[in-house]
Amino acid sequence: MEGMSHYDYVLVGAGFFCAVLAERIANDLGKKVLLVEKRKHLGGNCYSAIDPITNIEYHAYGTHVFHTSNREVWEYLHRFTTFNHYYHQVLSTWNGKVYQMPINLETINSFYGLNLKPFEVPAFLKQELGKENYAEPANFEQQAINLVGRPLYEALLKGYTIKQWGRQPSEIPASVVKRLPFRHNYRESYFNDPFQGIPTDGYTRIFEKMLHSDNITLQLDTDFFDIRGEIDPRSTVIYSGAIDRLFDYKYGDLAYRSLSFEQEIMSVDDYQGTSVMNYANEEIPYTRIHEPKHLHPEREHIKGKTLVIKEFSVEANRENPYYPVGGAANQAIYQQYQRELAHHPTLIVGGRLGDYRYYDMHHVIAQALNLYQTQLKPKHA
Ligand SMILES: Cc1cc2nc3c(=O)[nH]c(=O)nc-3n(C[C@H](O)[C@H](O)[C@H](O)COP(=O)(O)OP(=O)(O)OC[C@H]3O[C@@H](n4cnc5c(N)ncnc54)[C@H](O)[C@@H]3O)c2cc1C
């Protein structure tokens, strides 16, 4: 990159965090932005593409369902896309039988061969929970047993969790269970948010529209650390990559999980009848099968073919961090990086990898809009 021109802002990573900021800075402030992305495509982990054989749009890094209760985020995104009416439902196969997830009344009744009514669930669970209960649950296993009892935990949560995290549930923080909804009724919708759907033209199209501006220079296939030395020191850098990488791992590596995917085209119209099927048995190597055709029920799809994608959870290396593992030891490392940031006033860090937090898309978009309104825009007022 000889003679790199001056940019007011250099943004690292073309996921939602930096894409929203690039859009706001370029279009609202009229400032010049360089956006660098090490992958060959836009969108970060939300990237969607069309399979050339079946013409089915799929999410290359796992099914992404947009959901939020934040009206500002929902309205902001509507500048770039409409959404279809897809409502997410998840099912889980255990010992060859299919159950609804999150665990609801249908799951309990079908698992125990009962026909409980919602008001009978607490008394039934009390019997089950009376057999084993933890006053101060110290980890995922104890917290999950407190919530649903050992039999349902062993069947639907244990094996899946071991595969997903590559750790025993007794080594995973209890707080992870708080993300699991549990219902005493037949409600099947995975999310509770009022605004949900899949972008009508896919996620990638949103990013293309957001970043279409004369003020934005986009450089794909470029690692920030390869061009860092050429950046004008007057530029503000906004970084959404891994925070441990940013400081050359000086306080140690943060633990992440990663995913790998195997695609296959099946010669049937519909392989599994739903977009995501979990596989709860530990001995089945994949965690889920995605069938992306179901994400776009409004589209005409070719008959006799469907795309299925198996998802495997793997330990991350420095090149492919996805999910922060978290826990006290990692948080302690993260805090050291966070303190280090205070010494770099022209460096802003955020997003899922920058903050080392599990964020959904709407969290990251809200974070970016908030950062823009409260910190960036006032500087130029
Ligand atoms: C399997 C899976 C399923 C998910 N499902 C949902 C869902 O259903 N609903 C939902 O709301 N959220 C979901 N999420 C979360 C969602 O993906 C994130 O909230 C969102 O992608 C975060 O955006 P981001 O910009 O922070 O990070 P990312 O999307 O990860 O973008 C960061 C970008 O930075 C780039 N980068 C990193 N380092 C460098 C470097 N040195 N130089 C240049 N570029 C760099 C990366 O390549 C990446 O493209 C899911 C996540 C996963 C992994």
Side-chain angles (χ1 to χ4, degrees):
M1 273 192 60
E2 263 175 47
M4 193 202 239
S5 39
H6 174 71
Y7 295 97
D8 303 294
Y9 288 87
V10 176
L11 271 53
V12 184
F16 265 123
F17 183 70
C18 283
V20 169
L21 285 165
E23 186 282 315
R24 291 288 68 210
I25 294 166
N27 296 334
D28 197 43
L29 287 180
K31 298 285 177 193
K32 295 276 178 213
V33 175
L34 172 66
L35 178 59
V36 289
E37 165 56 57
K38 69 178 177 185
R39 289 170 173 165
K40 291 187 169 62
H41 59 73
L42 297 175
N45 281 351
C46 307
Y47 170 66
S48 63
I50 303 278
D51 171 62
I53 297 174
T54 59
N55 219 21
I56 292 170
E57 180 135 24
Y58 66 97
H59 303 163
Y61 301 94
T63 299
H64 275 67
V65 179
F66 194 83
H67 61 100
T68 187
S69 301
N70 184 328
R71 186 176 289 277
E72 187 194 349
V73 166
W74 185 241
E75 285 175 0
Y76 173 74
L77 273 189
H78 274 81
R79 297 185 198 178
F80 314 100
T81 186
T82 51
F83 287 85
N84 69 9
H85 296 293
Y86 176 83
Y87 251 69
H88 198 40
Q89 179 196 10
V90 175
L91 297 155
S92 188
T93 298
W94 177 69
N95 283 358
K97 195 171 165 201
V98 174
Y99 296 92
Q100 290 192 359
M101 290 296 278
I103 295 172
N104 66 11
L105 188 52
E106 217 297 304
T107 322
I108 299 170
N109 280 337
S110 127
F111 184 79
Y112 285 103
L114 295 171
N115 194 14
L116 296 172
K117 299 262 186 299
F119 61 86
E120 294 167 328
V121 174
F124 173 76
L125 278 180
K126 210 167 168 191
Q127 286 171 40
E128 195 54 68
L129 302 185
K131 295 179 195 153
E132 187 177 356
N133 199 263
Y134 298 89
E136 285 181 24
N139 54 50
F140 182 102
E141 179 171 74
Q142 295 177 359
Q143 183 84 47
I145 290 171
N146 274 3
L147 185 69
V148 298
R150 184 170 278 279
L152 271 170
Y153 158 74
E154 297 262 353
L156 294 176
L157 302 178
K158 185 178 176 184
Y160 188 85
T161 304
I162 293 172
K163 288 192 287 186
Q164 189 180 17
W165 294 99
R167 285 157 181 75
Q168 290 302 315
S170 57
E171 297 163 29
I172 297 171
S175 57
V176 173
V177 180
K178 301 208 174 90
R179 293 211 290 262
L180 298 177
F182 174 45
R183 300 179 183 138
H184 294 183
N185 56 29
Y186 287 114
R187 208 174 119 79
E188 295 166 21
S189 172
Y190 196 73
F191 302 114
N192 292 319
D193 296 303
F195 309 121
Q196 301 189 30
I198 304 291
T200 321
D201 297 319
Y203 284 97
T204 304
R205 189 78 193 108
I206 301 182
F207 289 88
E208 288 165 356
K209 284 193 177 170
M210 270 184 173
L211 300 172
H212 183 76
S213 159
D214 288 344
N215 283 335
I216 299 176
T217 303
L218 188 60
Q219 254 181 258
L220 296 177
D221 206 7
T222 305
D223 193 313
F224 167 65
F225 297 103
D226 293 338
I227 60 151
R228 193 180 194 178
E230 298 156 49
I231 293 170
D232 186 332
R234 291 169 298 168
S235 305
T236 300
V237 173
I238 306 182
Y239 174 86
S240 68
I243 191 164
D244 48 357
R245 169 70 183 95
L246 182 62
F247 294 114
D248 214 10
Y249 308 99
K250 67 191 276 194
Y251 302 115
D253 285 61
L254 290 163
Y256 300 92
R257 293 293 287 169
S258 192
L259 302 175
S260 72
F261 298 94
E262 274 178 18
Q263 294 192 3
E264 202 177 331
I265 292 167
M266 305 299 221
S267 296
V268 290
D269 272 345
D270 188 350
Y271 177 70
Q272 61 183 16
T274 191
S275 58
V276 180
M277 177 69 74
N278 290 356
Y279 283 82
N281 290 76
E282 192 183 344
E283 60 278 12
I284 294 178
Y286 41 87
T287 49
R288 339 191 248 179
I289 297 184
H290 306 266
E291 189 174 8
K293 181 184 247 189
H294 294 287
L295 297 170
H296 285 285
E298 78 283 8
R299 290 188 188 177
E300 274 291 320
H301 288 113
I302 56 166
K303 298 274 175 238
K305 282 202 189 328
T306 187
L307 176 69
V308 298
I309 308 173
K310 288 185 179 139
E311 177 179 315
F312 301 82
S313 181
V314 295
E315 203 67 35
N317 58 41
R318 287 180 171 183
E319 294 311 307
N320 62 358
Y322 277 54
Y323 291 111
V325 171
N330 285 306
Q331 276 310 320
I333 299 175
Y334 170 73
Q335 290 306 330
Q336 296 187 69
Y337 289 119
Q338 183 62 31
R339 281 195 288 276
E340 180 84 20
L341 258 186
H343 303 298
H344 299 269
T346 59
L347 184 58
I348 296 172
V349 174
R352 176 183 61 100
L353 296 170
D355 285 357
Y356 192 65
R357 283 190 59 184
Y358 186 85
Y359 285 141
D360 277 327
M361 292 179 274
H362 64 98
H363 295 126
V364 166
I365 296 167
Q367 185 193 30
L369 290 174
N370 183 49
L371 173 71
Y372 176 71
Q373 280 300 338
T374 60
Q375 289 185 44
L376 305 186
K377 192 170 181 179
K379 271 206 305 201
H380 299 276

